[in-house]
Amino acid sequence: MILLKEVSKSFDGGRSYALKGLSLEVYEGETMVLLGSSGCGKTTTLKMINRLIEPTSGLIEVGGKDVTSQDPVSLRRRIGYVFQEIGLFPHMTIEQNIGIVPKLLGWDKDRRRARALELMELMDLDPYAFADRYPDELSGGQQQRVGVARALASDPDYLLMDEPFGALDALTRDTLQQELLSLKKRLKKTIVFVTHDIFEAVVLGDRIAVLHEGKLEQVGTNKEVYERPASRFVAKLFSKPSKQLAAFKEML
């Protein structure tokens, strides 16, 4: 569904690279987690998929078509995008925020309202309690639910999620992770999920792509990456949570 082949990105004319030679396939219906520390190229990769950033070299395909051959605005309207900062429009109600992309696509008012109410229910937000509220009247977790609902509003095949739960408290974050897993089973979307949190990667990912300093260190299932690290960096990355988990078990 999503293919990256030898993709590189330089912001300074080739003197340095934010991403170098990334080749990756994301299969239909799977959640691919891009895992790594800040500055490793995760968000850059995500933004190149929907052409918020153009690659310096390489090929990116979505649905079998080169993204550079597609109109970027039309492409983005077919790909749901969820940010950590959420980015809800403060002057719009929750219903209006969710319906913004359907409105741009020409949906009539009744259809937009029906879709917004449907998605609020899906995201465990009472539509009759939340439809007419504004973002600043919601908690962080509720706002993030609205952000996910907005990304799903036009029923895209693909969902890009850039550390969407990173700014939330641990309890809310865990709740939304579980809700995302449930949502995935029902909607069967192809998801690319960015995080620097190893536990989140293991919980949510069907496969994990570990990035380090702009290069792909390893890609595989959770078990493959954990049990058979392909590099010293990956081994070190997963050694710390192993020790934390062992220490936690000793406390029980």
Side-chain angles (χ1 to χ4, degrees):
M1 292 291 280
I2 299 176
L3 170 70
L4 296 93
K5 187 173 182 180
E6 291 295 320
V7 174
S8 297
K9 179 61 185 179
S10 174
F11 293 97
D12 58 11
R15 291 187 296 273
S16 63
Y17 282 85
L19 199 71
K20 186 70 172 177
L22 175 62
S23 294
L24 189 67
E25 289 183 72
V26 184
Y27 305 134
E28 181 177 359
E30 82 166 336
T31 297
M32 171 67 77
V33 173
L34 305 183
L35 174 66
S37 56
S38 297
C40 71
K42 306 185 303 296
T43 296
T44 297
T45 300
L46 215 61
K47 289 182 176 180
M48 286 193 294
I49 291 173
N50 74 344
R51 295 192 67 186
L52 285 172
I53 294 175
E54 299 289 357
T56 300
S57 61
L59 171 70
I60 301 175
E61 292 184 351
V62 173
K65 296 181 180 179
D66 186 342
V67 295
T68 61
S69 69
Q70 303 179 50
D71 174 65
V73 175
S74 299
L75 176 69
R76 290 170 201 148
R77 289 176 182 173
R78 293 188 289 106
I79 301 175
Y81 203 127
V82 185
F83 304 85
Q84 179 176 339
E85 297 81 8
I86 307 172
L88 301 180
F89 298 106
H91 62 289
M92 291 184 178
T93 66
I94 301 310
E95 178 185 332
Q96 291 169 336
N97 264 282
I98 295 173
I100 187 66
V101 173
K103 184 178 181 179
L104 293 171
L105 292 173
W107 293 21
D108 63 50
K109 186 175 181 180
D110 289 342
R111 186 184 177 193
R112 295 198 308 269
R113 177 172 176 77
R115 181 60 172 165
L117 298 182
E118 175 190 6
L119 287 169
M120 277 184 263
E121 287 188 351
L122 187 67
M123 297 308 301
D124 199 25
L125 295 168
D126 181 352
Y128 299 101
F130 287 92
D132 295 325
R133 292 190 190 180
Y134 290 87
D136 64 359
E137 299 177 272
L138 275 58
S139 69
Q142 290 168 341
Q143 289 185 32
Q144 197 55 271
R145 286 183 173 90
V146 175
V148 175
R150 182 178 61 182
L152 293 170
S154 62
D155 195 25
D157 291 324
Y158 319 96
L159 196 58
L160 308 180
M161 307 187 77
D162 191 0
E163 301 201 48
F165 311 140
L168 302 174
D169 63 84
L171 183 59
T172 302
R173 185 172 186 166
D174 180 67
T175 299
L176 289 180
Q177 287 171 358
Q178 296 306 313
E179 289 181 2
L180 180 61
L181 288 173
S182 176
L183 193 69
K184 177 192 167 184
K185 289 180 180 178
R186 282 179 283 175
L187 301 182
K188 303 185 186 307
K189 301 295 182 184
T190 301
I191 301 172
V192 183
F193 190 103
V194 163
T195 186
H196 64 271
D197 186 286
I198 294 172
F199 292 105
E200 185 167 68
V202 170
V203 167
L204 297 178
D206 294 308
R207 289 191 297 150
I208 298 173
V210 181
L211 297 176
H212 179 55
E213 296 182 344
K215 295 183 179 180
L216 179 65
E217 293 279 332
Q218 184 174 359
V219 59
T221 65
N222 303 341
K223 186 175 182 180
E224 288 169 346
V225 175
Y226 177 74
E227 294 185 351
R228 298 189 296 277
S231 69
R232 292 176 61 184
F233 174 79
V234 177
K236 184 177 180 180
L237 183 67
F238 279 84
S239 66
K240 185 175 181 180
S242 297
K243 293 175 182 176
Q244 290 174 332
L245 184 59
F248 175 73
K249 287 181 178 179
E250 289 179 2
M251 294 170 61
L252 298 178

